[in-house]
Amino acid sequence: MRFSAKATAAAAALTAALSLTALGSAASAVASAATPAAKAAPVTCSAATTKVTVKEVSRPVNHLLLKAKNTGTKTCYAYSAPFLRFDEAQAPTPWLHDSTPQAVVTLEPGQSAYAGIGTSSPEGSEGYRAHSLDVLFSNRAASGGVGGPAAAKLPSGGVYVDSSAFVTYWQTSASDALQW
C-alpha cells in the first residue's frame, strides 16, 4: 500500500499531536498530584504541631533557650513571641519588644524556632524558684493564644525567676534568640 505525501505528513502530524497531548496530560497529572501538598495552607504553630523544649545555657547568664520544633506535616507560623507562665503566675512573662524580627518565623516540617528567656537580673525583685513552665503560642494578631499550652520541662531543681524576667520574640536561630 502506498500513501501519498500529504497522507504521510498528516499521519506524522497527528502522531506528534497525540504524543504531545499524552505528555501534557501526564505532566498535568504529576503537577496536580504534587500541588495539594506543596500548596497546603500554612497553619499557626501550636502545642499540637510542635515539640517544645527548654535548655539552660551558660551565656548569657540567667537565661534559658526555648525551642519549638515543627512536628506537623504542614508549614506553620510562629507569630510574635510565646506566652510563658512559670508555675502558677498570674500574668505571662513580658515580651522583649526590642527582639521583634523583620518577618514572621516560618517553620517547614522538622524546622525549629527559638526564643530566649531572661529569668532574673540584679534589678529584679520578688524572686522565687519556678518548677514548671507552660508555653502558649500566639495568634496572628498577638492578642491571645492558639490551642492549649505545652508543658516545657525546666532543669531539675527549678529556675530562679524574678520581676525582671522576659521572653524574646521567636527567632530563626538560637544565637539570635540569646543576644538579648
Side-chain angles (χ1 to χ4, degrees), residues 7-168:
T8 303
L14 180 60
T15 301
L18 290 173
S19 295
L20 288 175
T21 302
L23 285 174
S25 295
S28 293
V30 169
S32 294
T35 301
K39 291 189 177 183
V43 298
T44 300
C45 295
S46 69
T49 61
T50 62
K51 178 180 180 185
V52 177
T53 56
V54 175
K55 175 173 110 173
E56 274 187 293
V57 295
S58 59
R59 295 247 186 254
V61 295
N62 302 330
H63 276 67
L64 300 171
L65 180 64
L66 178 63
K67 177 181 174 183
K69 182 177 182 179
N70 182 353
T71 57
T73 58
K74 294 181 180 179
T75 299
C76 73
Y77 295 131
Y79 290 113
S80 301
F83 292 102
L84 301 182
R85 184 172 85 166
F86 285 97
D87 288 346
E88 298 299 319
Q90 295 296 312
T93 303
W95 292 353
L96 183 64
H97 293 288
D98 288 345
S99 67
T100 305
Q102 292 183 355
V104 172
V105 175
T106 304
L107 302 178
E108 299 292 331
Q111 289 183 325
S112 298
Y114 304 88
I117 304 170
T119 58
S120 61
S121 74
E123 295 82 33
S125 62
E126 304 170 19
Y128 64 96
R129 185 150 300 278
H131 296 281
S132 67
L133 177 63
D134 287 335
V135 179
L136 187 62
F137 287 84
S138 175
N139 62 21
R140 184 176 183 167
S143 60
V146 175
K153 184 177 179 184
L154 290 175
S156 66
V159 174
Y160 184 78
V161 179
D162 68 21
S163 63
S164 67
F166 66 86
V167 62
T168 68

